[in-house]
């Protein structure tokens, strides 16, 4: 239809790098309503299944000498736990299940999104924005509940000269409210860009002359994306811990 | 017609910015997060924590047991060394005793042999003396006879007593 005409205009090459991000109903062709089962639903369900398989079925042996799956599950557990303790301190351990949920969801959604033909839920700003806003709300509410008005000292840099403090306070305030934006766009943008670039390279393989080069590029990008998938999950989680630390200890 | 324009829109614009799908994604995301949260906080995390704690306990216990065993090994080595030294001393003692015993036996045997030799020698000497005695006697007999014969052959009259005395005197000399 319109896209084909669009593609034909570029010398017979058809690029659809963004089609992979379309949210479509799983059954039928109707509108996407709030409770419609869509490909997003399907891949989120797969994410849950993967997490269940690793953390519950993988550890069902409860072995003192762990199996491979159990080792990976323990590794993930200790990785996130250590991150929470190191960054936000021991009292942040109350939020460990919450942070672990975020990390496991993002890391598995990212990796499942790397499967060919997959839909990457974390490439959607709607998803990452919800995750980021949840973190933002948690941190802000926790900060006020724990410290009361003293939480506002987060914006009052007491180590700076007195004259500079109001200006710094404005900057700090803006940066505080920009947090959920950067937090969510960083993740969605990384995932979307990587997948789109892979698709563009894949589109070039329609031309026999550049096909080997494009396949090589796709392979290289794929490797990079594997790295990015983990790093972005890590970055999202560690930033959550940093924000949590601010809420627990607002004084610089 | 409506669906065609929508498809074109989706293909040219970013699907991420299609607001009509937001409620759907957000709803399912929240459902997923709640499910994952319950799986983790109810099952997975307590289980892994228990396994890790148990492993830590096992390691601590094993280390303590290893410490114990090491002490026992040192003890056993000491006991072994002591037993070795004892055995060596015992062996030395037995060797000395045996040597003394053998020496005593040997001395006794030597003494006995000496005594026997002396006895045999005495016996032999006695027999020799007897033989000599009897030989002397025979010689005397023969000499008497011969002397009497010679005297009678020379025409004399053999006086037995005289001949005897002469021969006895000769034999003594």
């Amino acid at each position: 239809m319109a896209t084909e005409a669009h593609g034909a205009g570029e010398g017979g090459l058809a690029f659809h790098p963004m089609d992979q991000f379309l949210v479509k109903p799983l059954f039928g062709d109707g509108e996407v309503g709030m409770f419609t089962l869509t490909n997003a639903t399907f891949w989120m369900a797969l994410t849950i299944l993967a997490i269940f398989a690793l953390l519950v079925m993988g550890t069902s042996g409860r072995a003192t000498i762990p199996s491979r799956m159990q080792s990976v599950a323990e590794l993930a557990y200790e990785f996130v736990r250590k991150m929470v303790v190191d960054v936000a301190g021991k009292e942040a351990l109350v939020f460990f299940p919450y942070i672990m949920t975020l990390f496991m969801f993002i890391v598995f959604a990212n990796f499942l999104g790397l499967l060919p033909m997959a839909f990457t839920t974390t490439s959607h700003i709607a998803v990452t924005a919800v995750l980021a806003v949840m973190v933002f709300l948690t941190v802000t509410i926790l900060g006020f509940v724990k410290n009361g008005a003293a939480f506002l000292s987060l914006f009052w840099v007491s180590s700076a000269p007195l004259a500079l403090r109001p200006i710094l306070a404005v900057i700090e305030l803006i940066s505080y409210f920009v947090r959920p934006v950067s937090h969510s766009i960083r993740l969605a943008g990384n995932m979307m860009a990587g997948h789109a670039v892979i698709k563009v390279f894949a589109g070039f393989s329609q031309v026999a002359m550049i096909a080997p080069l494009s396949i090589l590029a796709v392979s290289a990008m794929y490797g990079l994306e594997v790295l990015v998938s983990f790093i972005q999950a890590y970055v999202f989680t560690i930033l959550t811990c940093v924000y949590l630390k601010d809420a627990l200890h607002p004084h610089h | 017609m409506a669906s065609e324009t929508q498809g074109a829109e989706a293909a040219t614009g970013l699907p991420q910015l299609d607001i009509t799908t937001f409620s759907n994604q957000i709803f399912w995301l929240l459902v997923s997060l709640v499910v994952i949260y319950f799986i983790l906080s109810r099952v997975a995390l307590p289980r892994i924590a228990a396994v890790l704690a148990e492993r830590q306990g096992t390691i601590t216990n094993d280390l303590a047991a290893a410490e114990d065993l090491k002490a026992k090994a040192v003890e056993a080595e000491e006991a072994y060394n002591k037993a070795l030294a004892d055995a060596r001393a015992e062996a030395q003692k037995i060797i000395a005793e045996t040597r003394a015993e053998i020496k005593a036996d040997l001395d006794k045997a030597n003494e006995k042999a000496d005594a026997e030799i002396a006895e045999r020698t005495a016996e032999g000497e006695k027999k020799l003396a007897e033989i000599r005695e009897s030989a002397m006697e025979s010689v005397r007999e023969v000499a008497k006879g011969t002397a009497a014969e010679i005297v009678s052959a020379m025409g004399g009259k053999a006086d037995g007593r005289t001949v005897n005395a002469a021969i006895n005197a000769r034999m003594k000399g």
Side-chain angles (χ1 to χ4, degrees), chain A residues 89-154:
Chain A
K90 282 247 179 218
E91 59 266 59
L93 276 180
V94 187
F95 295 95
F96 171 53
Y98 174 50
I99 292 170
M100 186 80 178
T101 303
L102 290 179
F103 177 76
M104 294 313 289
F105 176 78
I106 296 171
V107 86
F108 270 105
N110 288 355
F111 277 128
L112 285 173
L114 280 176
L115 296 174
M117 310 301 289
F119 174 81
T120 319
T121 49
T122 40
S123 68
H124 274 262
I125 194 74
V127 169
T128 59
V130 168
L131 294 172
V133 165
M134 274 167 56
V135 170
F136 179 78
L137 288 179
T138 311
V139 166
T140 308
I141 293 168
L142 178 77
F144 279 112
V145 167
K146 271 240 160 194
N147 308 288
F151 183 55
L152 292 173
S153 70
L154 182 65

Side-chain angles (χ1 to χ4, degrees), chain A residues 3 18 22 33-36 38 41 44 55-56 59-60 62-64 70 74 77-78 105 123-124 127 130 192, chain B residues 8 10-11 15-16 20 24-29 32-33 36-37 39-40 45 47-49 51-52 54-55:
Chain A
T3 40
M18 294 304 164
L22 282 175
M34 188 166 176
F35 307 112
T36 315
T38 57
T41 319
M44 281 180 194
L55 292 185
V56 177
T59 60
S60 59
R62 297 163 199 259
T64 306
Q70 196 184 323
E74 285 169 10
Y77 177 94
E78 299 211 301
F105 176 78
S123 68
H124 274 262
V127 169
V130 168
M192 187 187 84
Chain B
Q16 275 87 345
T20 57
N24 179 273
Q25 293 191 62
I26 291 168
F27 171 74
W28 289 114
L29 172 67
S32 308
L33 288 181
I36 295 171
Y37 184 83
I39 290 175
L40 290 191
L45 299 185
R47 182 185 291 176
I48 296 173
V51 168
L52 291 179
E54 194 181 313
R55 181 170 313 145

Side-chain angles (χ1 to χ4, degrees), chain A residues 14-252:
Chain A
F15 289 105
H16 307 292
M18 294 304 164
D19 283 6
Q20 58 175 323
F21 301 121
L22 282 175
V23 178
K24 288 172 288 196
L26 273 185
F27 310 105
D29 242 357
E31 290 276 304
V32 174
M34 188 166 176
F35 307 112
T36 315
L37 292 172
T38 57
N39 47 358
T41 319
F42 176 69
W43 286 96
M44 281 180 194
L46 277 189
T47 307
I48 297 173
L49 280 182
I51 293 171
F52 186 82
L54 177 64
L55 292 185
V56 177
M57 280 149 72
T59 60
S60 59
R62 297 163 199 259
T64 306
I65 297 157
S67 60
R68 288 178 194 201
M69 280 281 271
Q70 196 184 323
S71 292
V72 175
E74 285 169 10
L75 216 61
Y77 177 94
E78 299 211 301
F79 176 70
V80 177
R81 196 188 141 90
K82 193 170 181 306
M83 189 157 42
V84 173
V85 172
D86 286 355
V87 177
K90 282 247 179 218
E91 59 266 59
L93 276 180
V94 187
F95 295 95
F96 171 53
Y98 174 50
I99 292 170
M100 186 80 178
T101 303
L102 290 179
F103 177 76
M104 294 313 289
F105 176 78
I106 296 171
V107 86
F108 270 105
N110 288 355
F111 277 128
L112 285 173
L114 280 176
L115 296 174
M117 310 301 289
F119 174 81
T120 319
T121 49
T122 40
S123 68
H124 274 262
I125 194 74
V127 169
T128 59
V130 168
L131 294 172
V133 165
M134 274 167 56
V135 170
F136 179 78
L137 288 179
T138 311
V139 166
T140 308
I141 293 168
L142 178 77
F144 279 112
V145 167
K146 271 240 160 194
N147 308 288
F151 183 55
L152 292 173
S153 70
L154 182 65
F155 308 112
W156 197 251
V157 188
S158 49
S159 56
L162 192 62
L164 276 178
R165 283 184 205 171
I167 307 166
L168 283 177
V170 173
I171 295 173
E172 288 279 333
L173 202 66
I174 293 172
S175 81
Y176 186 81
F177 282 100
V178 168
R179 273 177 181 182
V181 180
S182 63
H183 207 183
S184 57
I185 290 181
R186 183 183 301 112
L187 175 57
N190 267 292
M191 298 320 294
M192 187 187 84
H195 285 73
V197 167
I198 286 179
K199 270 287 160 69
V200 170
F201 278 136
F204 274 118
S205 62
Q206 294 168 74
V207 182
M209 283 280 283
I210 31 176
L213 198 67
S214 106
I215 288 164
L216 205 70
V218 167
S219 311
M221 272 309 292
Y222 195 91
L224 185 67
E225 279 306 292
V226 170
L227 208 68
V228 166
S229 288
F230 180 76
I231 288 173
Q232 284 309 315
Y234 174 67
V235 165
F236 192 97
T237 318
I238 204 159
L239 279 175
T240 305
C241 292
V242 170
Y243 298 160
L244 208 58
K245 192 203 94 192
D246 280 349
L248 293 167
H249 318 280
H251 311 287
H252 286 272

Side-chain angles (χ1 to χ4, degrees), chain B residues 28-135:
Chain B
W28 289 114
L29 172 67
L30 292 178
V31 169
S32 308
L33 288 181
V34 167
V35 171
I36 295 171
Y37 184 83
F38 274 99
I39 290 175
L40 290 191
S41 63
R42 290 292 148 93
V43 187
L45 299 185
R47 182 185 291 176
I48 296 173
V51 168
L52 291 179
E54 194 181 313
R55 181 170 313 145
Q56 197 56 49
T58 310
I59 289 171
T60 313
N61 283 347
D62 284 1
L63 280 181
E67 202 74 26
D68 265 15
L69 289 178
K70 201 182 163 195
K72 267 186 197 155
V74 169
E75 227 168 73
E77 201 193 342
E78 267 166 24
Y80 165 78
N81 280 338
K82 194 165 165 288
L84 196 65
D86 281 358
R88 215 166 256 162
E90 188 78 8
Q92 290 294 345
K93 210 172 117 200
I94 289 172
I95 288 171
E97 259 172 28
T98 313
R99 190 174 283 158
E101 217 168 274
I102 290 172
K103 198 160 183 286
D105 279 358
L106 204 62
D107 284 353
K108 219 163 117 195
N110 269 346
E111 233 167 70
K112 203 175 152 199
D114 278 352
E116 207 163 298
I117 289 167
E119 200 183 317
R120 288 253 177 93
T121 310
E123 207 171 290
E125 263 169 14
K126 203 172 137 206
K127 264 189 190 156
L128 207 61
E130 261 169 29
I131 290 166
R132 187 180 286 157
E133 195 81 359
S134 69

